[in-house]
Amino acid sequence: MTNRQRMLRQTFTIARRDFTATVFTPMFLLFLLSPLIMISFSVAGALGGSTLARGSADKTRMIAIVNPQDASAMTAADARLRQVFRPGDAPPPLLIEAPAADLDQQARAKFSDKNYDASAVLYGSLAKPQIIFAARGGRAADYLAELAEQTLRERNSGGTAALSTATKTPVVRTTASQGGHSEAAFFAVTGIFFLTLFLSGQAVGTMAEERSNKVVEVLAAAVPLEAVFLGKLIGMFGVAVLFVSFWGTLVSQLGHFLPASGVQALAEIGPAIGFPAFVLLFCAYFTMAYMLLGAVFLGVGAQASTMREIQMLSLPITIVQMGMFGLASAAASQPGTTLALVAELFPLSSPFAMAAHAANSAELWPHFAALAWQLLWVSITIWVSASAFRRGVLKSGGGRRRGTARIRPN
C-alpha cells in the first residue's frame, strides 16, 4: 500500500469516526430540527409584530373637509383609485366631513381626535385644496391631492362613466426573466451563506473538545496531522450533507401546497445556466464554501483551549463572512463588473459570487476554473491550520512523533 493510499484510508477512518459520533446521538435530532424551532419563534414574533402594526393601521384615517355636493363625487373617485392598489399598499380609509366656520382650525383639530389617528387632512376648494399632514402622512397627502384632481376631472368630463374598456389577458412566461435571474442569484448567495455559517461552526466545538481531551494529540501522533484535519472536515461535511438533504427534501415539496398564482410567480425565477446545471453548481459551491470555512474554523478550534477563546476567535471570522456576503450580494446585482470579478476571485467570497454568476450567465467554462481555484485554497487553508497546530500546540516542526504506533483503519 502506497503512502497516499494509506493517508486516504486514515483520513476516511477519522471522517467516519466523527460522522458517526455526531449523527448517532440524541442531540443530533435536536440539531436537525433546530431550523423548525427557529422558524416557529420567527413566525410567532412576526405575527406579534404584524398584529401591532395592523392595530395601528386600523386606526389611521385620511380626512377630507368638503361641501356636500363634492362629497359623493370624491367618494366615488376614491373607490375607483383604490382598485389599482393591493390590500397592503392601499392608503388609509377616507373620512369626509362637512366644513365648519373656521376650516383651518377644524382641520388641525383632527390630529387631536381620540377616535382615530389622522395622517392627512384636506380642506378648501377642490381647485386649490389645502392639505396638512403628520410626520408619516406624506404619502396620504399625495393621495388626497390626486383625489381632488380626479374628482374635478370627472366633474368636468360630464360624468363618471368609463371612457375606455381594457381587455386583460394573463401571459405565462416560458423562460425566466432578467429579474428572475437576479432573484435566483440572490437566493443562491443567501442560501450558501446561511448554510455554511450555520453548519460549519460546529467544527470549532468538535476540535476544541477533542483538544481538551487530548484526543487530537493522540491522533496526531499516529497519523499525519493533515489527514486528521481533512478527515474531521469530511466527517463534519457528511453531517452537513445529511442536514441539507433532509431539509431540501421538505422544501422541495412546498410547491404542492402553493396556489397557482404562486407557482406562476416562482416560474419567473430561474438561473440563466438552467436548473440541472445550477443545482449541481450550487452543491459544488456549497461544498467549497463549507470546506473553506470549516477548515478555518478547525484551525480556530485547534488553537483555542477554552470556550472563551473559541468565542473570541470565531467572532472575527463571522464578521469577515458577513462582509463576504455583502460583497457577493453586490456582485450578484452587478454581473460583469469589476466588483463582480473581484468577488469571484477572492477566495472567501468566490463560492458565493460564482453561484450568483451561474444564475446570471449561461457560460459554463468559468465554473471549472473557479472550482479548481477554490479547491486550491481549501488545501492551503488545511495545510496552514495543520502547520499552526503542529507548531503552536504540539510544539513541533515535524509531522509524526517517533516511536508511536499508527491508527489502523478498520
Side-chain angles (χ1 to χ4, degrees):
M1 182 182 295
T2 64
N3 291 334
R4 178 174 298 179
Q5 291 175 335
R6 184 179 296 108
M7 183 174 179
L8 285 176
R9 290 189 62 185
Q10 293 167 343
T11 298
F12 284 107
T13 298
I14 295 175
R16 186 178 64 217
R17 167 186 171 272
D18 280 39
F19 178 81
T20 54
T22 303
V23 172
F24 296 105
T25 59
M27 291 300 297
F28 179 73
L29 181 61
L30 183 62
F31 171 75
L32 194 63
L33 298 178
S34 57
L36 185 61
I37 299 174
M38 295 170 58
I39 292 172
S40 300
F41 280 109
S42 300
V43 170
L47 288 176
S50 63
T51 301
L52 291 175
R54 186 168 57 251
S56 177
D58 289 343
K59 296 180 180 179
T60 305
R61 296 291 185 272
M62 297 183 302
I63 297 94
I65 302 175
V66 294
N67 296 319
Q69 59 269 26
D70 295 329
S72 57
M74 181 171 283
T75 302
D78 176 61
R80 282 187 294 275
L81 285 177
R82 288 180 183 273
Q83 294 177 1
V84 301
F85 292 99
R86 293 179 295 182
D89 297 333
L94 176 67
L95 291 180
I96 297 181
E97 295 188 4
D102 191 339
L103 287 178
D104 185 73
Q105 183 179 0
Q106 181 185 4
R108 295 183 182 277
K110 298 305 173 184
F111 292 97
S112 303
D113 198 302
K114 302 299 182 182
N115 297 320
Y116 49 76
D117 293 331
S119 60
V121 181
L122 177 148
Y123 63 96
S125 67
L126 296 183
K128 294 183 178 180
Q130 300 292 323
I131 302 175
I132 56 177
F133 57 94
R136 291 180 292 179
R139 182 166 170 261
D142 294 338
Y143 180 82
L144 286 176
E146 183 62 27
L147 181 60
E149 176 72 15
Q150 291 299 321
T151 303
L152 281 181
R153 286 181 179 275
E154 291 175 358
R155 176 186 296 172
N156 294 335
S157 65
T160 60
L163 301 180
S164 64
T165 303
T167 301
K168 304 175 184 178
T169 305
V171 175
V172 179
R173 292 181 180 268
T174 57
T175 58
S177 61
Q178 290 296 324
H181 295 337
S182 299
E183 292 178 1
F186 179 74
F187 289 151
V189 172
T190 305
I192 293 178
F193 169 73
F194 279 107
L195 285 175
T196 52
L197 195 63
F198 181 73
L199 296 172
S200 61
Q202 60 184 330
V204 181
T206 301
M207 181 62 83
E209 179 184 356
E210 295 199 345
R211 182 194 164 184
S212 63
N213 296 334
K214 304 300 181 182
V215 176
V216 177
E217 282 83 347
V218 174
L219 294 175
V223 300
L225 197 54
E226 289 77 9
V228 176
F229 276 71
L230 182 58
K232 287 185 169 296
L233 194 57
I234 294 175
M236 291 297 100
F237 179 68
V239 176
V241 169
L242 183 60
F243 180 91
V244 173
S245 300
F246 174 78
W247 282 102
T249 303
L250 294 181
V251 172
S252 65
Q253 304 303 312
L254 291 179
H256 299 289
F257 303 97
L258 293 177
S261 58
V263 175
Q264 292 179 0
L266 289 178
E268 296 189 1
I269 303 175
I273 204 169
F275 269 109
F278 181 73
V279 171
L280 292 176
L281 288 173
F282 181 90
C283 295
Y285 287 128
F286 165 68
T287 302
M288 292 296 105
Y290 182 91
M291 289 292 184
L292 185 59
L293 188 58
V296 173
F297 275 126
L298 276 178
V300 170
Q303 297 298 318
S305 57
T306 64
M307 288 303 299
R308 181 187 179 93
E309 293 180 358
I310 290 175
Q311 294 172 354
M312 292 179 64
L313 292 173
S314 299
L315 181 60
I317 298 175
T318 304
I319 293 175
V320 170
Q321 281 301 107
M322 292 293 295
M324 295 302 99
F325 171 69
L327 177 62
S329 299
S333 62
Q334 304 176 40
T337 61
T338 304
L339 177 65
L341 181 61
V342 170
E344 292 164 3
L345 291 177
F346 193 72
L348 291 176
S349 62
S350 182
F352 312 121
M354 288 306 300
H357 184 94
N360 286 319
S361 174
E363 293 180 331
L364 191 59
W365 69 265
H367 300 286
F368 295 104
L371 290 172
W373 172 251
Q374 294 161 20
L375 186 60
L376 172 64
W377 277 99
V378 170
S379 304
I380 292 174
T381 306
I382 293 175
W383 178 78
V384 170
S385 299
S387 300
F389 182 78
R390 183 182 292 116
R391 290 178 172 81
V393 179
L394 300 181
K395 307 298 182 182
S396 171
R400 188 182 299 110
R401 297 176 181 175
R402 296 183 180 180
T404 55
R406 295 177 181 272
I407 292 181
R408 297 185 178 277
N410 297 329

